[in-house]
Amino acid sequence: MRTDLQGTTDWGGLELEKTIVNSLFNMGYEKPSDIQEASIPWQLEGRDVVAQAVTGSGKTASFGIPMCNLVEADSRDVQGLVLVPTRELAQQVQRELSLIGRDRGISVVAVYGGEPIAKQIRALEQGATIVVGTPGRLKDLMNRRILDLGYVRNAVLDEADEMLDIGFADDMEFILKRTPSTRQTALFSATIPGFIRGLIRRYLDDPRWIQLVNDSKGLETVDEVDQIFYDVASQDKADGIMEILDDIEEGSQILIFRKMQVGVDRLSKGLAGEGFAIKGIHGGMSQSERNRVMNSFRDGSLKMLVATNLAARGLDIPTISHVINYDMPENIEEYVHRIGRTARMGKRGTAVSFIGEWDFELHEQIVAKIGEDKMIRRQFSFY
Ligand code: AMP
């Protein structure tokens, strides 16, 4: 903690509430990250923003800091609203915003599906100044007249393109329509497909566009990740993963992606049988089980996790050192999101990808976008 800096209102040249600056220093945030430096001043001035930012760049705080600075601390009305695509992201954003707003006494409540609604209703009734939620559950709470968004001053759509992909397009609009048109709005999205462009036109007021992605490639690049590629036939992947895992230093934190839920179950059972302490996570599990697994991975007591794509977006676990694409993702955007789970905030990380017999098209796209010079080619010993 930098006690010498406590009690000021200046955080890396940004003028913020003293209590917010205190919280930031307590969290070890001594100065703004690039996306924060680029976006926070506009938001503090009341401008709407559209931001395309590199994954792991401090994106959450880039909307969380201005939001916690702008809302009234003791308000019992919901003044800040954050829409996110997944339950895990709702929990993570809630945690970070609570820390940022802690010294201002701001209460932040997360609402999402899969958990009893009664508990979330109680939390909202106790008073929430900021609500973070997935669109489906938010809409449900609004329809039950538990959640009144008529006092929202600051709304954020986080991972907007992902919400669109999951099928939340109508829900996003439903929710935005029921907030005051005077609200300030920020939208974060890796890509800006047509629907999102329309949403921006309809719901954002002369937004400031902030692009911290590599323009020439139209995508985030994750330069801090060593990207290693193996050609491997499907039936040899199980041998391949053993060879990889034997090579990784003991105690490393590893996230393995599979395409299907059943694949996650199979691989986690198989590797557990080989003596690895490993768990799986996917959408077919109960929310309490998902929470238990995610929490143990987050606190580091679990070192290896096999997941479907639900863990690809936004998850921030700075200790993840390796991401393994046992099954390749559907597209290049998803590839970049997945490998972005490692190498957070400038740390280095390693991504290992298994290029199977069906992955040639994606492989071509990776070569075209990432560039052969950044791709490290390796071969399994059994070939
Ligand atoms: P995000 O991109 O929001 O998932 O954040 C990535 C990581 O960076 C998280 O662990 C944050 O707690 C951390 N972080 C965000 N802003 C800062 C900052 N200004 N200084 C240091 N760490 C930060």
Side-chain angles (χ1 to χ4, degrees):
M1 194 198 307
R2 294 276 300 270
T3 41
D4 53 324
L5 292 170
Q6 294 272 330
T8 76
T9 55
D10 179 69
W11 183 66
L14 295 172
E15 186 71 14
L16 300 170
E17 293 278 344
K18 216 183 283 186
T19 41
I20 295 281
V21 177
N22 278 351
S23 289
L24 295 175
F25 284 137
N26 288 337
M27 292 162 78
Y29 294 5
E30 294 187 6
K31 58 176 179 26
S33 68
D34 290 348
I35 178 67
Q36 291 160 7
E37 202 166 76
S39 70
I40 293 177
W42 298 104
Q43 296 178 80
L44 292 176
E45 271 184 25
R47 285 285 295 270
D48 286 359
V49 301
V50 173
Q52 288 179 267
V54 178
T55 182
S57 55
K59 188 160 63 78
T60 314
S62 71
F63 60 77
I65 292 168
M67 182 178 278
C68 288
N69 199 69
L70 292 167
V71 298
E72 287 163 4
D74 47 6
S75 167
R76 289 192 60 82
D77 299 320
V78 177
Q79 296 191 346
L81 174 70
V82 184
L83 270 62
V84 296
T86 65
R87 301 162 186 183
E88 278 73 18
L89 201 52
Q91 294 167 338
Q92 182 177 296
V93 169
Q94 187 269 344
R95 236 190 317 265
E96 178 144 359
L97 266 48
S98 295
L99 288 173
I100 295 170
R102 187 178 51 189
D103 290 358
R104 278 200 77 199
I106 293 169
S107 75
V108 186
V109 170
V111 298
Y112 44 85
E115 237 174 43
I117 201 164
K119 195 172 126 200
Q120 294 171 6
I121 291 175
R122 268 199 306 281
L124 289 172
E125 282 172 352
Q126 279 167 11
T129 307
I130 296 176
V131 172
V132 183
T134 50
R137 183 53 65 96
L138 283 168
K139 196 175 152 194
D140 191 357
L141 288 160
M142 290 163 73
N143 286 336
R144 290 169 189 242
R145 308 205 174 282
I146 302 290
L147 185 61
D148 178 2
L149 297 182
Y151 300 92
V152 167
R153 296 177 168 192
N154 192 190
V156 171
L157 291 104
D158 190 16
E159 309 269 2
D161 52 353
E162 175 71 358
M163 288 196 277
L164 173 68
D165 284 350
I166 297 180
F168 283 142
D170 292 345
D171 290 349
M172 283 193 265
E173 286 216 69
F174 176 94
I175 293 164
L176 281 175
K177 273 195 193 128
R178 283 156 184 83
T179 61
S181 57
T182 51
R183 71 173 186 272
Q184 188 180 333
T185 313
L187 182 141
F188 288 75
S189 202
T191 57
I192 311 283
F195 176 83
I196 301 293
R197 202 168 284 280
L199 206 64
I200 293 168
R201 209 172 36 242
R202 290 193 294 281
Y203 294 96
L204 274 72
D205 177 20
D206 186 23
R208 178 85 202 173
W209 286 71
I210 296 154
Q211 219 168 359
L212 290 185
V213 295
N214 187 334
D215 240 358
S216 64
K217 291 176 180 160
L219 251 201
E220 313 170 356
T221 50
V222 188
D223 284 340
E224 298 82 8
V225 183
D226 293 325
Q227 299 174 57
I228 303 172
F229 297 83
Y230 288 86
D231 285 322
V232 60
S234 296
Q235 72 267 19
D236 297 330
K237 285 183 178 179
D239 291 334
I241 190 87
M242 291 303 295
E243 200 167 305
I244 302 283
L245 294 177
D246 284 344
D247 245 16
I248 296 176
E249 205 180 318
E250 191 90 21
S252 302
Q253 200 163 20
I254 306 167
L255 176 58
I256 305 173
F257 283 104
R258 289 222 63 179
K259 195 186 185 77
M260 318 270 280
Q261 298 182 354
V262 50
V264 167
D265 289 338
R266 251 185 231 143
L267 185 61
S268 56
K269 274 201 196 91
L271 289 174
E274 297 284 344
F276 290 101
I278 188 165
K279 288 258 174 353
I281 190 165
H282 58 67
M285 290 159 51
S286 72
Q287 188 60 37
S288 60
E289 186 60 20
R290 274 167 72 169
N291 288 350
R292 204 165 29 245
V293 171
M294 196 45 85
N295 288 340
S296 61
F297 196 56
R298 198 183 284 284
D299 71 22
S301 53
L302 178 68
K303 294 290 186 198
M304 291 172 65
L305 181 65
V306 191
T308 53
N309 245 354
L310 78 78
R313 290 269 180 149
L315 269 200
D316 173 49
I317 301 178
T319 45
I320 296 176
S321 56
H322 292 73
V323 168
I324 300 177
N325 289 310
Y326 190 97
D327 297 321
M328 290 303 279
E330 293 283 317
N331 55 48
I332 179 94
E333 284 79 19
E334 216 54 58
Y335 171 79
V336 174
H337 279 290
R338 283 187 182 184
I339 71 168
R341 294 316 101 214
T342 180
R344 312 287 291 168
M345 286 297 287
K347 282 192 200 161
R348 287 207 73 80
T350 304
V352 178
S353 295
F354 289 4
I355 305 287
E357 54 271 53
W358 311 109
D359 299 322
F360 284 116
E361 208 173 305
L362 177 67
H363 177 241
E364 291 299 305
Q365 287 177 26
I366 295 176
V367 174
K369 297 269 188 189
I370 308 281
E372 195 64 61
D373 54 321
K374 288 204 185 130
M375 300 171 72
I376 306 168
R377 305 282 183 179
R378 298 249 171 93
Q379 210 177 3
F380 284 121
S381 64
F382 47 80
Y383 283 142

